[in-house]
Amino acid sequence: MSRYSAWAVFKNGFSGQKNWDRQWRDPEPKKEYDVVIVGAGLHGLATAYYLAKNHGIKNIAVLEKGWLGGGNAGRNTTIVRSNYMMPGNRYFYEHSLKLWEELSHELNYNVMFSQRHHVSLFHSPAARDAAARRYNTMRLTDTDGELWDLDTLKKEIPHLNYNNARFPIIGAAVQRRAGSARHDAVAWGYARGADRQGVDIIQNCEVTGVTREDGKVTALETSRGRIGAKKVGFAVAGNTSRLWQMAGLGNLPIESHKLQAFVSEPLKPLLDHVVVYGVGGAHFYISQSDKGGMVFGGDLDWYKSYAQRGNLPVVQDVAECATAIMPCLGRVRLLRHWSGVMDMSMDGSAFICKTPIDNLYLNGGWNYGGFKASPGSGWYFADLIANDRPDPVIEHFDLGRFKRGVIIDERGAGPDPKLHG
Amino acid sequence: MIRINCPFCGERDHTEFSYGGDASIVYPELDASMEEWHDAIFMRENIRGMQSETWHHANGCRMWLVVERDTMTHEIQSVRPAHKGNAAVLSTTDTGGEQ
Ligand SMILES: Cc1cc2nc3c(=O)[nH]c(=O)nc-3n(C[C@H](O)[C@H](O)[C@H](O)COP(=O)(O)OP(=O)(O)OC[C@H]3O[C@@H](n4cnc5c(N)ncnc54)[C@H](O)[C@@H]3O)c2cc1C
Ligand SMILES: [Zn+2]
């Protein structure tokens, strides 16, 4: 399979750009694999990529019930940042951000990672103090972070509502290295990179059962027949509980909730940064895509759901937030909105861990935050599967943390999944 | 919009209510084992399909309700007061449910 380059574009120009190779094969499932990953979202694909790349395991399949990247991978608002404070999260997200910084080169695929700054507005001295504490804590371990006063903010982003906002803006906490990326390209880049190393990505292949013998998983029942596996990893985002129950493992500290995202008609360049607004119950984040659409989102739909379909009250909430913070958007038309089903965990943090079954591994509980996490998640999940022990960076992402009383509750919201994010 | 038929107020938009969560969770005795409390606080079945869940009519009568709702289609099968005693005092016709 050929490398992508300016030269390749030029050369293919002679044949009307019609002779490019397929980006990945469409293989028939083999009888057995050394590692089977369930779910071809970002986490599953990245895991397969790093298993092959970092650990030399090549006999791998990724099973996907729909098409690759059709789940949350292709539904998120693409914000990438590492402004986490809790010890269990901080090193992990910073490592992930470092991987993002090299990802287009690593994958030979333009993931359009744009470090356009993540600008989190604050509206009271107390919120500024909390942000100062968070960003100073990050800086202790070399994550960048700074505070902008009102003058700086006005200069950088002139068209926020500085005049008569219900909650006056007084400044912002900023991570310059944060930004956004093209979500589809990340899924496709990892898929192509994994496929090139021999990984079989098997689409339209729903896992419907987990066969266990002598305490181990031996095979997965799928809509394309039984597929044997020496090791199995789950990376199915909002469907983790279902797979967990197929394996006969009972309950999890997870509820499935849906989150919506929105895109407007394309506009001329308007917003250079990712802007986040959260005060008095409002929660809103917005950026502008390279095609010009304003991409934004807010809270989840407030009740548990597996429907990949959003409700209308949240459309109204989000529209109110948009016009509250950027009144200039008032007459912009909404083009599309959609929703994805996510694992909301009991403390808002993730799981990359071993399970009660020896050769079964879990990756899930990503809440709203799994897009930014995907390179790091694939990296450490591959390491866990290959070496059968967690790296110290992900030691806290296990299921036992609730029993130990060391939950990683970044928001301090308590054991109510819908309140995390 | 989901419409919830409150036994006290009639059919209302779900935005009048706040979502409680899985109604099958019963808290153990105060001196129960750590294991039992852990499971009640943190562990969920997370059903895809018909689930029994609590809703609070926060912007209405302020009563807690038990609603059977499909978590895939959002279809509602039944709604009843969560506290039989309160319902009896308010003398609604439907006084089913747990105390
Ligand atoms: C609207 C929205 C906005 C978001 N915004 C952000 C953001 O700005 N920044 C951020 O960091 N994160 C964001 N997230 C979160 C992020 O998208 C997810 O955490 C992340 O994509 C989840 O990992 P994934 O890509 O592997 O999931 P998915 O892409 O959902 O992959 C899981 C795959 O498993 C498959 N699967 C499920 N069951 C089975 C089965 N039985 N057999 C076979 N396959 C199965 C699914 O079809 C799916 O393709 C957002 C999420 C949503 C919904
Ligand atoms: Zn009522």
Side-chain angles (χ1 to χ4, degrees):
Chain A
M1 218 173 279
S2 55
R3 270 185 72 78
Y4 292 155
S5 63
W7 167 244
V9 175
F10 179 73
K11 203 178 68 182
N12 278 289
F14 289 112
S15 50
Q17 306 289 2
K18 283 185 185 141
N19 292 318
W20 291 93
D21 295 334
R22 286 183 67 109
Q23 297 195 44
W24 48 80
R25 297 161 298 131
D26 185 18
E28 282 301 314
K30 291 187 222 159
K31 278 219 143 37
E32 196 189 42
Y33 291 92
D34 291 341
V35 179
V36 174
I37 304 292
V38 186
L42 296 162
H43 294 247
L45 292 166
T47 303
Y49 176 85
Y50 292 117
L51 271 170
K53 171 97 195 293
N54 295 356
H55 304 282
I57 300 172
K58 306 287 177 184
N59 187 24
I60 303 171
V62 184
L63 311 183
E64 168 54 50
K65 74 173 171 190
W67 66 96
L68 73 86
N72 295 343
R75 292 165 192 262
N76 62 76
T77 43
T78 76
I79 299 171
V80 176
R81 57 186 171 86
S82 68
N83 56 349
Y84 286 76
M85 187 177 75
M86 307 288 288
N89 280 333
R90 205 169 350 124
Y91 301 98
F92 171 80
Y93 284 102
E94 180 54 31
H95 182 237
S96 197
L97 183 57
K98 291 210 168 75
L99 292 174
W100 275 107
E101 287 173 328
E102 290 302 321
L103 199 58
S104 290
H105 292 123
E106 169 71 26
L107 298 177
N108 178 228
Y109 209 102
N110 185 1
V111 302
M112 296 162 84
F113 181 48
S114 149
Q115 293 179 293
R116 58 180 66 181
H117 310 357
H118 179 270
V119 180
S120 197
L121 307 176
F122 45 71
H123 309 262
S124 67
R128 181 178 52 208
D129 291 351
R133 173 169 175 251
R134 170 178 297 265
Y135 280 61
N136 278 326
T137 309
M138 284 152 47
R139 287 163 62 124
L140 288 175
T141 45
D142 289 335
T143 296
D144 68 306
E146 59 196 73
L147 300 186
W148 283 359
D149 60 18
L150 193 55
D151 289 340
T152 313
L153 185 61
K154 279 183 173 164
K155 216 168 87 223
E156 292 283 340
I157 315 177
H159 40 276
L160 298 179
N161 187 0
Y162 298 110
N163 297 330
N164 61 348
R166 165 74 181 75
F167 298 101
I169 300 168
I170 64 168
V174 179
Q175 187 181 21
R176 283 179 185 269
R177 286 162 63 240
S180 68
R182 168 126 195 250
H183 50 10
D184 294 328
V186 186
W188 299 338
Y190 273 122
R192 173 167 166 271
D195 179 90
R196 286 180 122 185
Q197 301 179 82
V199 173
D200 283 357
I201 301 167
I202 301 165
Q203 304 180 68
N204 298 312
C205 181
E206 176 166 9
V207 172
T208 53
V210 176
T211 309
R212 286 172 63 175
E213 274 165 41
D214 300 330
K216 288 201 156 201
V217 175
T218 51
L220 297 172
E221 306 301 328
T222 80
S223 53
R224 296 178 67 171
R226 167 183 284 228
I227 299 174
K230 296 209 177 84
K231 289 181 174 184
V232 173
F234 290 160
V236 291
N239 285 291
T240 305
S241 296
R242 303 193 66 223
L243 269 292
W244 196 251
Q245 277 148 18
M246 282 179 206
L249 291 171
N251 296 355
L252 276 175
I254 287 176
E255 274 185 9
S256 296
H257 286 260
K258 64 190 155 88
L259 181 71
Q260 304 192 45
F262 305 81
V263 67
S264 77
E265 59 187 329
L267 307 175
K268 287 184 179 174
L270 174 68
L271 187 61
D272 297 334
H273 311 81
V274 177
V275 174
V276 182
Y277 163 54
V279 67
H283 183 203
F284 180 72
Y285 33 92
I286 186 164
S287 64
Q288 187 167 23
S289 81
D290 289 354
K291 278 193 285 189
M294 304 306 295
V295 178
F296 52 95
D299 280 313
L300 44 67
D301 278 11
W302 294 124
Y303 47 82
K304 217 196 89 179
S305 173
Y306 280 92
Q308 286 177 311
R309 199 166 21 133
N311 71 25
L312 290 173
V314 166
V315 180
Q316 185 175 348
D317 286 355
V318 167
E320 281 171 7
C321 287
T323 47
I325 208 67
M326 286 181 72
C328 60
L329 294 179
R331 308 184 105 190
V332 172
R333 274 165 299 189
L334 197 60
L335 203 60
R336 292 185 290 130
H337 76 117
W338 60 90
S339 110
V341 180
M342 307 162 307
D343 285 350
M344 298 303 292
S345 71
M346 282 289 175
D347 62 355
S349 291
F351 304 106
I352 306 177
C353 59
K354 297 178 66 152
T355 71
I357 301 177
D358 268 351
N359 62 340
L360 176 69
Y361 304 85
L362 174 66
N363 180 315
W366 289 103
N367 298 269
Y368 298 30
F371 178 65
K372 70 179 82 71
S374 43
S377 165
W379 179 281
Y380 287 112
F381 196 38
D383 178 72
L384 173 73
I385 294 172
N387 298 315
D388 198 41
R389 55 98 193 95
D391 186 279
V393 168
I394 54 155
E395 250 172 4
H396 299 295
F397 287 167
D398 69 335
L399 291 163
R401 65 178 182 257
F402 299 95
K403 265 187 198 158
R404 291 196 308 275
V406 283
I407 53 168
I408 313 173
D409 187 344
E410 196 80 34
R411 272 200 178 177
D416 188 346
K418 66 178 180 298
L419 300 182
H420 297 290
Chain B
M1 188 74 80
I2 301 176
R3 300 274 287 171
I4 298 176
N5 195 0
C6 175
F8 305 102
C9 313
E11 194 177 271
R12 300 296 176 86
D13 287 353
H14 82 260
T15 44
E16 284 189 13
F17 300 78
S18 81
Y19 180 68
D22 190 332
S24 71
I25 304 291
V26 184
Y27 285 153
E29 293 298 319
L30 279 178
D31 57 358
S33 68
M34 216 275 283
E35 192 74 29
E36 279 174 78
W37 273 105
H38 168 268
D39 291 356
I41 300 289
F42 296 115
M43 302 301 271
R44 294 293 176 267
E45 191 178 350
N46 197 14
I47 296 169
R48 189 179 88 167
M50 202 55 80
Q51 108 162 346
S52 181
E53 58 195 21
T54 54
W55 288 78
H56 183 214
H57 199 178
N59 293 321
C61 60
R62 303 193 61 77
M63 298 291 272
W64 279 95
L65 309 175
V66 174
V67 177
E68 277 181 301
R69 183 183 64 101
D70 192 310
T71 60
M72 188 65 200
T73 63
H74 302 165
E75 226 170 335
I76 289 182
Q77 199 164 62
S78 72
V79 185
R80 60 181 167 78
H83 304 288
K84 199 157 79 179
N86 288 359
V89 171
L90 292 168
S91 71
T92 61
T93 42
D94 183 353
T95 54
E98 308 302 309
Q99 178 60 49

